[in-house]
Amino acid sequence: MPQRPDPERAAWASAAVRRFAAATNLLVAGRTVRVLGGDPRDAAALVALLTGLGARDAADVGAIDQLWCLGDPDESTAAVEREADRPRGATLVVVDAGRYAPAVDEDAFGPVAPARPGVLAVPTLSDDVFLVSTGREPEADPAAEARIRWARRHMPVARATAAELRDGGLLHGTRVGVAMVLEPKTAVLSLLLRDAGAEVVVYAHADETDDAVADVLRRSGLPVHADSTASLDEQHRLALAMLDTRPHVLLDDGSHLIRLAHQERPDLLPTMLGAAEETTSGLRPVRVMAERGELGIPVVAVNDARTKTLFDNRFGTGQSTVFATLDLVDALPSGAHRVRSGGAAVVAGFGPVGEGVAQVLVALGFRVTVAEVDPVRALQARFAGHAVAPLVDAVRDADLVVSASGVADTVDHAVLRACAAGSVVSVAGGVDDEVALTAATGAGAVRTTLAHHVERLTWPDGHHVLVLAGGSGVNTSAAEGNPVEIMDLSFAVQLGALRMLLERGDELPRAVVPVDPAVDAATARVALAAWGSRVAPLPTGTAGLPLARQPGTGGVGPVRIAEQPADREPDVRTHRFGTPR
């Protein structure tokens, strides 16, 4: 078993990787990396963390996505120049992770240009090579146009899926309402829809609005109903204004606009093809509406698609939640909280989000206890190597508590009172009142702002905990959301769901509708190709299917079993015990 790095090295590696992620909004998992030079113990700590987060260490052989430089600038320069000779579009991010001095000489490559805050392009070397320094804070300038361009570069799957919609002319005359976290990736989705022929209108909640990004969309001609300073009443008016444009399809995150349409604009429903819902927490109320016979439109369960749940929920939300949490904590004085490298963390909920959060926390050196009310998932957590305990017991000695359930009152008042003094409470994704702040203040607790997105909750007896982002999803409220490559997959599924509604909306039941398996297959195949992996050929028997019904094309028709010869029926007997009699 490899020896764990000492706490100081682990803390340095954690900070370096989180600064890389904050500067680039890129994913660690799935990428091929190489660590070059420096103290072998530092390199080992960094490799251990990167691979623990799901990256693949290429050592000295093979094509890479990321080059982490720790040592001599001359060695780094030579390595960058070698790696710059790559297929067009195959991005290389060079990370200066030197601990004591710059490990990359930016002047060695000629003039550089900002690609987004914290990222420099090297146009004289290659259009696809970028430099990042983990020792330098990213610029405060929001640079929304640059961040949108950067996101678009790293969203090949969504681009390809949108191009199919454009080429098929399916979106012309269709008004699409986008109601999601308004940041660069959502802006790319909205612009791709516009370029594919749709009329696009955008809404976002105040705490999920990047005003600079909203302004870029407005300048691009899209109606945007969003303002980061809007009160609840103003958000209500903005949401109704978006619905009053009478969208034919809603792409929703949390099903708030779907539910609002049913509550206050029921006349809109007969004119709609349907909606697509992005999240677990958003599908729960929609399923209840369907069971009660109250759902007036088909709602495609984007969240349940395998290329969404297995990647967005686990790898994307896991990375973005934990990184955003620790970034906020690191900005506080050390005596203000209990969180430390090698400390104890609790994850409430062990669905795909909880799995991802726990994996990232373990990679960063935390000892994780899972609190899960579903006994099967609790057993799964135990088999994954985590301790398991009831939440109210688990939090008593925890330094960090992350709610990953998507259920209101998960961290209820009793749990908050049981938390260790000075512990930090954070929410992944989240729904309203997932942390019972209203109940706590009703019991006499006082909320005091310590820093941006950090509050101390103090009871009359002096007990106190720190709550991040007002108890809302920390990754979207206090950071830039999930990594670009993850949202590329999720938005490709959204586009596939949109195609389902365009082609078959009139045939679909007024219910929660699963994403067609062909959408998953197509999304995964395009992603594998974009990431440079070879894929097995399509199964036989599909060549005669129309494009819109063929697995692997972005079509949405049913997956077809390879056809049997005309002279015999499919053989469903077991051959495990020899030829059947």
Side-chain angles (χ1 to χ4, degrees):
M1 182 174 180
Q3 185 177 2
R4 297 187 67 89
D6 64 75
E8 190 274 334
R9 278 194 174 80
W12 161 76
S14 169
V17 172
R18 286 187 281 117
R19 287 197 175 191
F20 155 79
T24 63
N25 197 216
L26 295 181
L27 185 67
V28 175
R31 288 305 183 187
T32 305
V33 304
R34 181 177 302 142
V35 176
L36 183 69
D39 186 321
R41 294 168 297 178
D42 291 342
L46 188 55
V47 168
L49 177 53
L50 291 169
T51 55
L53 292 169
R56 184 164 64 94
D57 178 19
D60 295 322
V61 181
I64 60 172
D65 305 306
Q66 299 169 10
L67 179 66
W68 291 73
C69 302
L70 298 180
D72 182 71
D74 290 338
E75 181 185 23
S76 300
T77 298
V80 172
E81 290 173 343
R82 287 194 303 271
E83 293 293 340
D85 184 15
R86 57 186 41 238
R88 184 170 179 81
T91 300
L92 172 69
V93 180
V94 179
V95 187
D96 183 344
R99 296 193 67 183
Y100 310 108
V104 176
D105 180 5
E106 295 171 0
D107 295 332
F109 307 109
V112 294
R116 61 166 269 152
V119 182
L120 296 174
V122 192
T124 55
L125 192 62
S126 168
D127 290 339
D128 301 309
V129 175
F130 300 90
L131 305 178
V132 176
S133 173
T134 63
R136 184 177 61 226
E137 292 292 342
E139 295 82 354
D141 179 2
E145 291 93 344
R147 288 186 288 135
I148 292 170
R149 286 194 300 271
W150 177 260
R152 187 183 183 102
R153 162 183 280 275
H154 293 280
M155 294 175 67
V157 189
R159 293 200 314 266
T161 309
E164 286 189 357
L165 291 171
R166 180 198 64 216
D167 295 344
L170 290 171
L171 277 169
H172 289 294
T174 302
R175 187 172 301 110
V176 179
V178 177
M180 297 184 177
V181 178
L182 185 47
E183 42 79 40
K185 285 93 69 182
T186 306
V188 173
L189 173 65
S190 302
L191 293 170
L192 288 174
L193 286 167
R194 181 204 63 181
D195 295 344
E199 301 173 24
V200 181
V201 58
V202 178
Y203 166 81
H205 309 308
D207 62 339
E208 296 178 351
T209 296
D210 183 323
D211 288 322
V213 171
D215 288 342
V216 172
L217 290 183
R218 290 188 184 102
R219 291 195 296 272
S220 300
L222 273 59
V224 178
H225 302 273
D227 183 342
S228 69
T229 66
S231 65
L232 281 177
D233 285 344
E234 290 166 340
Q235 291 176 72
H236 182 226
R237 288 195 293 273
L238 289 167
L240 289 177
M242 192 266 246
L243 290 175
D244 287 340
T245 65
R246 305 190 71 80
H248 302 109
V249 177
L250 283 174
L251 306 184
D252 208 347
D253 184 336
S255 72
H256 298 289
L257 271 290
I258 295 171
R259 287 178 278 172
L260 188 63
H262 283 74
Q263 292 162 204
E264 301 192 35
R265 294 294 186 268
D267 61 303
L268 174 62
L269 303 177
T271 69
M272 293 183 65
L273 292 170
E277 170 53 42
E278 176 85 2
T279 64
T280 306
S281 56
L283 285 175
R284 287 194 184 109
V286 174
R287 286 197 164 100
V288 172
M289 292 169 66
E291 290 167 2
R292 294 173 177 172
E294 298 172 355
L295 193 60
I297 55 174
V299 177
V300 181
V302 168
N303 177 77
D304 295 351
R306 291 187 298 155
T307 44
K308 196 279 183 182
T309 297
L310 296 177
F311 300 90
D312 182 309
N313 296 25
R314 180 172 183 176
F315 295 104
T317 307
Q319 174 178 307
S320 63
T321 293
V322 176
F323 284 15
T325 295
L326 296 181
D327 287 347
L328 290 176
V329 169
D330 277 359
L332 299 173
S334 59
H337 60 85
R338 292 172 52 105
V339 179
R340 66 193 189 282
S341 179
V346 171
V347 178
F350 203 67
V353 171
E355 286 184 77
V357 169
Q359 178 184 352
V360 174
L361 287 169
V362 168
L364 291 170
F366 286 86
R367 293 173 286 108
V368 173
T369 299
V370 170
E372 171 58 77
V373 296
D374 181 333
V376 176
R377 287 181 175 172
L379 184 62
Q380 182 186 6
R382 178 63 187 254
F383 274 47
H386 309 302
V388 175
L391 183 57
V392 73
D393 297 330
V395 300
R396 297 186 190 280
D397 299 315
D399 307 310
L400 174 63
V401 178
V402 182
S403 182
S405 69
V407 176
D409 287 321
T410 294
V411 183
D412 61 19
H413 186 239
V415 171
L416 286 171
R417 289 289 291 165
C419 283
S423 60
V424 173
V425 178
S426 182
V427 175
V431 296
D432 295 340
D433 302 315
E434 192 162 331
V435 178
L437 295 177
T438 302
T441 54
V446 176
R447 298 170 67 172
T448 305
T449 299
L450 292 185
H452 191 46
H453 292 302
V454 182
E455 292 177 292
R456 178 185 286 126
L457 194 63
T458 307
W459 284 262
D461 63 0
H463 181 70
H464 66 281
V465 297
L466 275 61
V467 179
L468 305 185
S472 62
V474 68
N475 52 333
T476 55
S477 298
E480 206 171 347
N482 281 349
V484 182
E485 305 99 323
I486 285 295
M487 297 312 299
D488 183 30
L489 293 174
S490 293
F491 287 163
V493 178
Q494 282 279 3
L495 293 168
L498 174 59
R499 184 167 182 166
M500 285 178 62
L501 292 167
L502 292 170
E503 292 188 333
R504 294 190 276 141
D506 291 340
E507 307 167 13
L508 296 174
R510 274 45 187 163
V512 176
V513 179
V515 171
D516 195 297
V519 172
D520 264 335
T523 301
R525 285 181 177 278
V526 175
L528 283 166
W531 285 49
S533 295
R534 290 184 297 168
V535 201
L538 285 171
T540 58
T542 58
L545 295 177
L547 179 64
R549 300 248 177 214
Q550 181 142 330
T553 67
V556 296
V559 170
R560 293 269 295 276
I561 299 173
E563 295 178 3
Q564 296 287 339
D567 60 347
R568 64 182 174 90
E569 292 296 318
D571 186 356
V572 297
R573 299 171 298 171
T574 177
H575 291 254
R576 180 63 178 81
F577 309 105
T579 302
R581 295 186 176 87

